[in-house]
Structure formats: C-alpha cells, structure tokens
Amino acid sequence: MIHPVKIPLSRLRLNEGQLDWLPRNPRQWTREQLDRLAESIKETPQLLEARGLIVYPFGDTFVVIGGNMRLSALTLMGEAEAPCYILPADMDREKVREIVLKDNGDYGLWNQTMLSRDWADLPLERWGVEAIEVQDYAEKNKEINVGAFSENITLKLKYEEPQASLVSARLGEDKRSVLLKALGYED
Amino acid sequence: MKTESIALSLIQPNDGQIPGLPRNPRSWSVRELARLKKSIADTPEMLELRPPIVYEYEGHYIAIGGNMRLSVLKETEGITSVPCIVLSPDTPLRKLKEIAIKDNAKFGDWDYDALADEWSDFDLRDYGINDFTDPQDEPQGDGNASPVDDRKVIEIELAPDEFLFVSGKFRDMGETPEAAVLKVLGL
C-alpha cells in the first residue's frame, strides 16, 4: 500500500517536458478555471488529501505526473506543501505515460436525471461537472447507456420517419413486453 | 483519513444508504465497463495511486468515489480486497457530497493539439478519453456544422436483468439497437 507524503511546493515542478521521454502534460486551463479549482480545494481539503499529486523524481525535485493544475492552484493559493505519491525512479516509462493519461481519463458519464433531481443544491457547473446528455453520448458510442447497479434502465431508440411511427405502432402500449417477447425473453 | 486494504465484500456501492447522501449520479455503458476493466488490468498501479474513497456506515463501507471501479473489481476473478481511502467518521455530510461529485469533476480540459502531437501512439479511447478528435479530421470550410437531429426517440424502460438480456441479444445480432429492433419486429 502506498501512502502519500507531504512535499514542499518549492520542490515540485509542472511537467513541461523536462524528462526527455515524457511529453508535457496534455491538459490546459484558463485563469477562471484555475480560480474555481483553488476555491474548490479550499472548500474540500479532504479531497486533496485523498487524491495526492502523483510525482516522479527529477534531480532534487519532482515532476508532477498527475495534478499539474492542482499544483498551479496551490501555488496561487500560497500553500507551502502538497500531499504526493512518489513514483519509483525505475518505473517503466511507458507506465508513467499511461498514468498521465489515465489520471485524467473518464470512463463513465454523469447521469443527468440524477444530477438534476438529487444534486441540484450543489454548484455543479462551478465544479466542472459537464452536462452531457445521456442520449447524445449513447448515440456517439453506438451503445445503450446503463444506469449503475439496481435502477431501471431506459433504452433509447432513435429513428427517422417513417420508421419511428412504424416501430411505435408495432410496439404498441406495452413497449417493454412486446420488445422482450420479440427477442425471446423468458421471465 | 487513512489508506487501508478492505475486503470487497464489505464495500457497497453508494445506492443512497446514507440519509442525505443521494445515489452516485454516474452511469456507464457495457463497453465502457469493459474498457475500464482492461485499463485496471493493464495499469494496476493506478488503483494504489487513486484508491476508491469509502465511508464507514453501519458495519459496511459505502463507496463515495470509485463506484464504477468497484463494480469492475467485484466481477474480476481472484480479487478479494482493494486499497481504499477511508474517510474520517466525523466527515460532515456536505463534504461527502462534495467529494462524491468532485472526484469525477474535471476543472481543466484536454489539450487536443498536445494529444494529437505527442500522445497519438496510445489508443486514447482505452484511456477514457472519448471525445478526442484529431483537429485535422474536423470539417473544414463552409461552416456546415453537425446536421440537425430530427429523429424521434422511443424510450423503453427495462429492469436491469431485462436490459442485460436485450443488450446481449443486440450484440449477438451484431446490429445497432435501432437496426436490431427493426429486424425482430419484422420491419
């Protein structure tokens, strides 16, 4: 188990391509976004503690592999140190590159219905919660979206006319039963 | 807050068990679940660097951050425990809500030029970078943006097991959901 350690900001460096085998951090942000992040860190210091920066040794300093924007925000806030996970210097270089990408990757998506129903008391937009319509997303991925765990799932089918009317007519009132029966589902 | 190894059987998804904390507002597709599974298998180090964040409640641990990863792990053979960040028992409810949202929020953006220039040897979709487009692929010239989508949406609500059956059928048929439904309805 790895535990984060506190490192003074003066020893942390943004990844600007100093390591000849590692491209600069492929992220960008505006001053406004940075201000919002600083505000968020101030509001929820627990999350910074839980998600330490990921750093790689570079001389007597460390290059930030994950958390470049947060390092910028912490500097702006005048903080003295940050919790960091230190990667071993002999870590496979390809692994380090994977970590850069994966630390910013995103595998699921926001459930709009739940966000607007249950979480609307929070300033979501200010926190970088991007509202992507589930059906646009499903369309883009040529895939049906799955709600997590136990809730019912809405299958969304998109048709142009006249198919839309034909399918609607064929499915009738009880769309679910007709579809399941057509596919041979046995309860 | 501490990092410790916790038996998967003791961890529950955030289904709204804690009064005042709504369910995890995220969804994912079957395909994304498979991508994440591959990602975890390829870079298991990431789990140690970004452990699920849990909160102890009534003898169990509720996943505040990392619900999708936990659902992958629970279905991965041979994994019985996972490193977790255990939040302090006195963490206020409001902070739990903030962490649940912010752990998935993105304050900055991808630098798509940098991705295209320096990271294109990776299959970025495997890294949860879904909206990557090579700038050179973008339509040039006449400002003809994406066409208006005037398709009709047919919604069918299914229980989770019904959904699994239906999506499995579609996959077996090798068709998009729309095409598969037309076929089985004889249209």
Side-chain angles (χ1 to χ4, degrees):
Chain A
M1 203 114 41
I2 317 176
H3 297 273
V5 293
K6 292 272 166 71
I7 297 182
L9 293 199
S10 58
R11 293 184 65 197
L12 299 177
R13 302 282 180 271
L14 295 173
N15 170 20
E16 287 168 334
Q18 304 93 320
L19 298 160
D20 57 13
W21 45 272
L22 184 73
R24 70 196 160 93
N25 182 46
R27 304 277 299 173
Q28 55 187 356
W29 50 84
T30 63
R31 174 60 199 247
E32 193 190 351
Q33 285 175 312
L34 197 62
D35 287 340
R36 283 184 191 163
L37 177 59
E39 189 188 314
S40 169
I41 294 172
K42 217 171 284 175
E43 181 183 39
T44 321
Q46 294 91 340
L47 190 59
L48 180 68
E49 204 187 322
R51 298 289 183 230
L53 311 189
I54 301 173
V55 303
Y56 183 86
F58 181 59
D60 57 359
T61 63
F62 298 89
V63 174
V64 176
I65 302 302
N68 279 273
M69 186 176 177
R70 282 182 294 154
L71 172 58
S72 303
L74 291 169
T75 306
L76 192 70
M77 293 159 72
E79 294 293 316
E81 53 184 22
C84 297
Y85 291 98
I86 303 174
L87 298 179
D90 62 355
M91 187 176 228
D92 181 69
R93 293 176 173 183
E94 204 57 9
K95 269 287 177 232
V96 178
R97 296 183 73 204
E98 284 175 15
I99 291 171
V100 170
L101 294 180
K102 291 190 177 181
D103 197 40
N104 287 297
D106 208 1
Y107 289 87
L109 75 156
W110 294 109
N111 182 315
Q112 280 314 117
T113 312
M114 290 163 72
L115 274 184
S116 52
R117 188 185 61 203
D118 305 327
W119 299 81
D121 57 319
L122 302 175
L124 299 174
E125 207 178 312
R126 246 191 17 240
W127 294 351
V129 175
E130 272 197 50
I132 301 171
E133 282 296 326
V134 167
Q135 80 193 40
D136 291 349
Y137 178 88
E139 170 61 22
K140 197 160 98 188
N141 285 278
K142 289 274 175 264
E143 185 96 22
I144 315 150
N145 56 292
V146 187
F149 310 112
S150 57
E151 208 170 67
N152 280 356
I153 297 151
T154 304
L155 173 63
K156 290 182 178 174
L157 302 168
K158 285 177 151 190
Y159 293 105
E160 287 170 18
E161 292 296 3
Q163 277 93 348
S165 301
L166 291 171
V167 171
S168 286
R170 197 64 65 94
L171 290 173
E173 282 295 299
D174 190 353
K175 292 179 283 194
R176 177 184 147 275
S177 299
V178 175
L179 176 72
L180 289 175
K181 195 165 172 223
L183 287 166
Y185 180 79
E186 286 169 31
D187 201 358
Chain B
M1 189 178 303
K2 54 198 166 169
T3 310
E4 51 186 280
S5 180
I6 295 184
L8 278 176
S9 57
L10 286 177
I11 308 174
Q12 295 179 346
N14 169 21
D15 266 332
Q17 304 92 322
I18 302 174
L21 180 70
R23 286 184 49 200
N24 179 45
R26 304 275 298 174
S27 296
W28 44 81
S29 65
V30 174
R31 183 187 295 181
E32 278 190 306
L33 216 50
R35 283 206 180 109
L36 179 59
K37 186 170 186 170
K38 179 177 183 299
S39 171
I40 293 173
D42 289 349
T43 321
E45 295 85 354
M46 220 45 219
L47 264 187
E48 297 241 7
L49 297 166
R50 297 290 179 237
I53 300 175
V54 301
Y55 182 77
E56 199 172 353
Y57 179 74
E58 292 188 342
H60 282 85
Y61 294 90
I62 309 296
I64 307 298
N67 278 275
M68 184 174 175
R69 281 178 293 154
L70 285 164
S71 78
V72 168
L73 293 175
K74 285 193 177 192
E75 286 174 10
T76 305
E77 248 175 81
I79 295 185
T80 52
S81 66
V82 61
C84 289
I85 306 265
V86 183
L87 293 171
S88 151
D90 61 6
T91 307
L93 183 63
R94 163 79 189 196
K95 295 299 153 192
L96 296 181
K97 293 177 75 173
E98 289 172 8
I99 293 167
I101 296 292
K102 290 181 180 182
D103 197 40
N104 287 299
K106 291 278 174 279
F107 284 84
D109 300 306
W110 288 109
D111 178 339
Y112 287 108
D113 291 337
L115 281 179
D117 289 348
E118 293 164 324
W119 298 85
S120 55
D121 52 326
F122 286 92
D123 184 347
L124 295 171
R125 289 170 65 100
D126 283 345
Y127 291 79
I129 307 173
N130 276 312
D131 47 356
F132 174 73
T133 47
D134 189 322
Q136 292 175 352
D137 291 344
E138 280 170 19
Q140 309 282 326
D142 64 0
N144 191 4
S146 55
V148 178
D149 187 354
D150 56 359
R151 285 173 299 172
K152 299 238 162 65
V153 180
I154 297 173
E155 299 194 357
I156 305 169
E157 192 170 320
L158 300 168
D161 58 325
E162 294 168 344
F163 172 81
L164 286 176
F165 172 82
V166 168
S167 59
K169 275 278 173 193
F170 292 163
R171 241 193 330 272
D172 294 346
M173 293 168 71
E175 301 276 11
T176 64
E178 282 81 2
V181 169
L182 284 176
K183 203 173 257 183
V184 298
L185 292 176
L187 292 168

